[in-house]
Amino acid sequence: MMESVIGLLADRESALRVRSALVEAGCDQSAVVIFDRGTGQALAGELAERGLEPARARLYAEAVMQGGILVAAEAETADSALAVMNRFELKAPEQLLGRGGETTERAQSIEEELHVGKREATGGKRLVTSVTEREVEKPVTLHEETVEVERRREDHALRPEEAAHAFREETVELTATSERPVVSKEARVTGEVALRKRSVERREVVRDTVRRQDVDVETIQEVPKAGPERRH
């Protein structure tokens, strides 16, 4: 989760140096914004959205309207951005406004609660058919006839009446019958796969960690200097 860190400076040149240092430290350039007097009254709302309390946000906005330059950065870890800003001479808004007196700062106690909901997830099984080929053999008995030619040598005389009919053109035929294999295919159902859906209820215990933030009060001996502020 991104955190907001802001720092107030006396001039724009210092603000530009702070922005360059934040970018070099790993902040995204588009996440580092400089606010000046031209920002107007909308700055207080912007700072409130970044986590500052409304009264404190209005005070910073007023300091900017009086000539201060505000640098705001979004970072995944605010500590690194705070360390960068603390290298520069930051101002408290009271310093630029010429105000002293009492300043109130607040921290919040925060505790996470675990909420468990439900969402639907769709899954299942899919039937996919595939076609393969394989060679098969099946024996068959075939009947086959052949025509053979037999030549025989003879030597005898023909009678006159036989000779008159011996010389003529004629055709003699003898046919043979043979069987040939005829292949046909028949598709047969050999099995079936079915998909069925049934509903069941199951109980599941969800475990997770929740965070808690407590506020402890400590006494600071030395007077702190002005520095960047962060969202709590």
Side-chain angles (χ1 to χ4, degrees), residues 161-202:
E161 61 274 13
E162 290 177 339
H165 298 286
F167 295 97
R168 66 181 184 275
E169 294 182 353
E170 64 177 339
T171 300
V172 178
E173 292 183 352
L174 180 62
T175 60
T177 302
S178 299
E179 295 179 338
R180 296 290 182 265
V182 178
V183 178
S184 63
K185 299 179 183 179
E186 179 185 30
R188 301 182 61 83
V189 177
T190 59
E192 183 180 72
V193 179
L195 295 179
R196 293 186 179 86
K197 180 174 68 174
R198 61 187 181 92
S199 299
V200 296
E201 301 289 336
R202 63 186 179 91

Side-chain angles (χ1 to χ4, degrees), residues 92-106:
E94 293 86 353
Q95 291 177 276
L96 296 183
L97 295 173
R99 301 176 187 174
E102 181 180 342
T103 301
T104 302
E105 300 291 345
R106 295 180 175 85

Side-chain angles (χ1 to χ4, degrees), residues 5-35:
V5 180
I6 65 171
L8 184 64
L9 297 109
D11 56 84
R12 187 172 186 83
E13 183 178 354
S14 299
L16 291 174
R17 289 199 301 268
V18 172
R19 182 174 67 177
S20 298
L22 288 170
V23 173
E24 290 178 1
C27 291
D28 191 279
Q29 186 170 359
S30 62
V32 183
V33 184
I34 294 179
F35 298 96

Side-chain angles (χ1 to χ4, degrees), residues 128-134:
V128 180
T129 61
S130 61
V131 178
T132 59
E133 295 182 351
R134 64 186 180 93

Side-chain angles (χ1 to χ4, degrees), residues 5 56 144 152 169:
V5 180
R56 194 67 178 166
E144 184 171 341
R152 193 172 58 226
E169 294 182 353

Side-chain angles (χ1 to χ4, degrees), residues 5-7 18 22 71-73 81-90 228:
V5 180
I6 65 171
V18 172
L22 288 170
V71 178
L82 284 171
V84 172
M85 283 192 174
N86 279 324
R87 301 204 308 259
F88 297 84
E89 187 178 352
L90 300 177

Side-chain angles (χ1 to χ4, degrees), residues 140-156:
V140 59
T141 302
L142 302 175
H143 175 75
E144 184 171 341
E145 295 178 344
T146 60
V147 176
E148 297 179 353
V149 177
E150 181 182 351
R151 294 182 181 274
R152 193 172 58 226
R153 183 176 181 78
E154 293 187 11
D155 187 9
H156 62 274

